Structures are given as C-alpha cells and as structure tokens.
Amino acid sequence: MLHFGRDEFEARRDRLILEMGEQKLDAMMLFAQDSMYWLTGYDSFGFCFFQCLVVKADGEMRLLTRSADLRQARHTSILDAITVWRDRGSADPVIELRDMLDEMGLLGARIGVEWATHGLTAANGQQVGERLGSFATLKDASTLIPMLRAVKSPAEIDMVREAARLADDAFDAARPLIRPGADEAEILAAMQGEILRQGGDYPANPFIVGSGRDALLCRYKSGRRKLDEADQLTLEWAGVKAQYHAALMRTVIVGRPSDRHLELHAAAREALEAVEATMQPGHTFGDVFDAHAAVMEAHELARHRLSACGYSLGARYAPSWMDTPMFHSGNAAVIEPGMTLFAHMIIMDSDSETAMTLGRTYLTTTAEPEPLSRLPLDLIVL
C-alpha cells in the first residue's frame, strides 16, 4: 500500500539528486528506515537487521535486505530492484552490499553514507567502513535526507494534520477517565486505542504517562499507579498517520492545583508564546531555544528546565519520534515554511516535586506558526 502518489516520490527523489549534486556525491547508502520510507514508501521494522538502500545520482535505486522483508518492500514501496541476503552461518551482508555496488558501477565512486542512524549498529558500521573503505570514497551524509525531510510537501502536511486530529481525539477519549482512583493503564489504553481505532499507527516511541512523583519523568517507564485525590498527571503522546507524528504534552491537575502549579503553568505558557513569536523564517532553531530559556530564567527556573525545548516531527520509526533539527542552544539550522515542529515547555521542580508541561505541534508558515491542535493552553484541572 502506497500512502502517496508516484509523482510525490519522484519529486522527493529529484530533491535528493539535486542535493547529491551539490555535495558531489555519485551515490548514497541509506541505512535510516525514515529515509527509505520517505524516498520509496518502504515500510518495515526490518532495520533492526542489516539492510541498505543505494541511490545513484542518475536516480537508480536498489535495496539490499533480508528475505523476511522482500514482500514487505514489494507491497509497500515503489522499488523494483531488491536483492536479498540469506541468513546462514557464513552470511556476510556487507560483502553482498559491496558486490551490489560493483554491479551498479560504483567502484571508486564518491558515496554518501548515513552513519548516524539506529538502522546501522556500531558493529555493522565498522564492517561497512572496513570492507568498503577501499572500494569507494565514503563521505558522511547523515544529515542530508533528514534536512530535506524537515520541509514537508503539501501531501505530507495533510498527513500531519490528520495525525494532529488523532492526537486531539486521543485526549478527548482519555479525559473523562482522569479522576481520583483512575488507573494510568486505563488512561493510556484509551489514548492509544482511540488512535488505532481511527486507523492511525503505533508511535515511534511509547506514550509518556506518569503521576505523583513520576509526573516529573520525561520518558516512558514500566509500571502503573492509580491517581490520588490530589494528584498531577503528565502525558506526552502523538497522533500518528502513515508514520507521520503530531505530538502534544500536558500536565493535568487532579483536585486543586497548588500555588506552585499555577506559577509554573504561567511560566510555561509565557515561554511557549515566546517560542511561537520566534518560530518564524529568518530565525534559527537556536533562537527559538533562547526565547524559551530567557523566559525560564526571568522566572528563576533555569535549573528546573531542560536543555532543549522541542524538535522537528515527521515520519519516524523506533526508537524515537524525535527528528532533526532540534531546538537547543547554538543550533544554526534555519526555520523555513512548511516545517512541522513540536515545542514543549517542560518544568520539573524536584525540590517541591511539582511537574508542569505544555507542548504542541506547529506548522511553520511565512509568518507566525500555525498550531495544529485544537486543545487550549489553559491549565487542565479535573
């Protein structure tokens, strides 16, 4: 099943070939599943094993993968040329990759490599460097496709809008369950279930759900608890459509909010508004972070904030939906129209064990960014 027309994939290929020409690359070896999906539609978690999509400067593409993913590639992608390496005691997929590159006339070529990806383990990467270093000139091109993917096409934006709608609906499904005595498991099941019920996908990383002291955590962990009469519940989740993500983050108060909750929410909202004012063409991702940090510092919250306040979102695979570029200090990547960016204000006061988060996904435009969620920014008290 293809989620986009062939003309969309051709346009993406043309953008890649143009950038390859700028960087004087004869070919690319793609190991990131996100890159393969973006370029061809190939949809699989088979990247936990060795596989590689080779793209030549003339547009020729060949996939090297395992037998388990042969039909996966045929059913989900535009790929015609698929080479299978067989699992066996003497299997050496890197040598088979070298043979495939030789068949494609790439001996002595200048080849860009996606080194920085979960689709290439350190062990496999070492083998690629050792076995292919004398075959061709290998150049790090890890950021080439991620930066192309950061600016979305109209068809991709439609997918992100649908993902954002699913994220809103997921919260609407869970909200009636958030009350004293409620089980975190039921809340989590309602959110993920609503997205799947409407034809959405699993997220690239688990939803975050944590209450009480665990509301201060920014990662998923195993184990559930029931909400107290007075409690705080931090949720970070994403609607997902055709692997495209739109994330949201909220800390919900059960019972009466403390003065510290109110203080931290006011700061988080002010910081998010400062981020929105900066998230415009002409500014950098570093500028956006600095706007967030300035508000936090004005509220004397520097030691309670994080060192990043968001990132690009798109079609991503495990282990994380976080994409590049990221909002952190000194990031010179420039905001462009057509990006889908998640900004999160996270304040974790461990001294008082008070949590506060506020985040949503935006579409950048030629001026102010467009929030893709219909949820208000008010503190949610249930």
Side-chain angles (χ1 to χ4, degrees):
M1 176 181 179
L2 290 175
H3 297 289
F4 301 97
R6 287 187 174 266
D7 56 341
E8 174 79 9
F9 290 114
E10 290 172 1
R12 297 177 189 180
R13 179 203 61 199
D14 290 346
R15 289 176 62 198
L16 172 59
I17 291 173
L18 182 64
E19 187 60 30
M20 288 170 62
E22 291 289 327
Q23 299 191 25
K24 296 180 172 55
L25 297 175
D26 300 307
M28 284 279 292
M29 289 195 296
L30 307 184
F31 293 99
Q33 184 62 44
D34 324 276
S35 297
M36 299 183 198
Y37 177 76
W38 179 80
L39 191 61
T40 72
Y42 175 45
D43 194 358
S44 172
F45 62 77
F47 61 91
C48 58
F49 298 97
F50 188 90
Q51 63 176 8
C52 181
L53 176 63
V54 179
V55 185
K56 289 180 65 176
D58 62 5
E60 180 186 357
M61 294 187 288
R62 292 193 194 184
L63 174 68
L64 177 70
T65 190
R66 298 168 66 247
S67 59
D69 283 294
L70 172 61
R71 291 164 187 82
Q72 197 86 9
R74 286 175 175 170
H75 289 195
T76 65
S77 79
I78 60 172
L79 290 167
D80 296 317
I82 305 169
T83 299
V84 172
W85 67 270
R86 290 174 45 239
D87 295 284
R88 58 190 187 279
S90 60
D92 194 338
V94 178
I95 291 298
E96 298 198 38
L97 173 60
R98 189 184 66 185
D99 293 343
M100 189 176 83
L101 292 170
D102 196 22
E103 292 173 6
M104 298 175 74
L106 291 171
L107 177 63
R110 181 181 168 93
I111 302 177
V113 185
E114 289 187 324
W115 296 111
T117 170
H118 298 96
L120 184 65
T121 64
N124 286 337
Q126 186 175 24
Q127 290 294 312
V128 169
E130 291 176 355
R131 302 291 182 84
L132 300 182
S134 59
F135 176 88
T137 300
L138 306 183
K139 298 293 182 181
D140 185 4
S142 300
T143 62
L144 196 159
I145 290 184
M147 291 307 296
L148 291 177
R149 291 192 300 105
V151 178
K152 308 298 189 291
S153 70
E156 290 179 292
I157 291 170
D158 287 343
M159 289 295 187
V160 177
R161 288 188 184 280
E162 179 63 10
R165 185 189 66 78
L166 291 174
D168 286 344
D169 287 354
F171 185 75
D172 288 345
R175 183 167 179 154
L177 303 176
I178 303 174
R179 60 183 182 275
D183 195 318
E184 290 177 351
E186 294 180 4
I187 295 167
L188 182 62
M191 298 179 78
Q192 184 65 81
E194 183 63 20
I195 291 169
L196 295 177
R197 188 185 69 80
Q198 294 196 43
D201 298 318
Y202 290 109
N205 59 255
F207 292 175
I208 295 169
V209 54
S211 59
R213 293 180 64 246
D214 291 342
L216 280 74
L217 302 183
C218 298
R219 297 286 184 263
Y220 171 86
K221 68 167 187 62
S222 180
R224 308 281 182 267
R225 68 181 289 272
K226 294 184 178 181
L227 303 184
D228 294 330
E229 289 293 324
D231 216 324
Q232 54 185 355
L233 173 69
T234 293
L235 299 168
E236 184 180 34
W237 72 103
V240 191
K241 184 66 176 181
Q243 308 294 2
Y244 284 82
H245 292 67
L248 286 165
M249 195 169 194
R250 293 290 190 278
T251 297
V252 180
I253 306 304
V254 177
R256 185 175 180 177
S258 67
D259 290 342
R260 188 59 167 164
H261 281 128
L262 297 174
E263 178 185 349
L264 296 187
H265 177 266
R269 185 163 188 167
E270 183 182 337
L272 188 59
E273 290 169 350
V275 161
E276 291 178 5
T278 312
M279 195 190 295
Q280 300 184 29
H283 292 112
T284 68
F285 279 71
D287 293 335
V288 172
F289 174 81
D290 291 343
H292 144 269
V295 173
M296 295 297 178
E297 288 164 10
H299 287 268
E300 299 183 346
L301 295 171
R303 69 188 183 91
H304 301 303
R305 65 162 174 83
L306 303 185
S307 297
C309 69
Y311 39 80
S312 178
L313 282 175
R316 287 285 282 171
Y317 287 80
S320 176
W321 69 50
M322 292 184 286
D323 211 345
T324 55
M326 180 173 284
F327 297 127
H328 60 69
S329 179
N331 191 340
V334 177
I335 303 290
E336 299 180 50
M339 292 178 162
T340 50
L341 308 177
F342 176 49
H344 57 61
M345 307 299 105
I346 299 177
I347 309 172
M348 300 306 186
D349 182 352
S350 295
D351 297 337
S352 63
E353 295 189 344
T354 306
M356 186 52 58
T357 66
L358 188 63
R360 59 184 178 182
T361 300
Y362 297 85
L363 171 65
T364 59
T365 70
T366 57
E368 296 179 354
E370 175 192 348
L372 296 180
S373 171
R374 65 173 182 267
L375 300 185
L377 297 180
D378 299 334
L379 180 61
I380 302 170
V381 181
L382 300 176

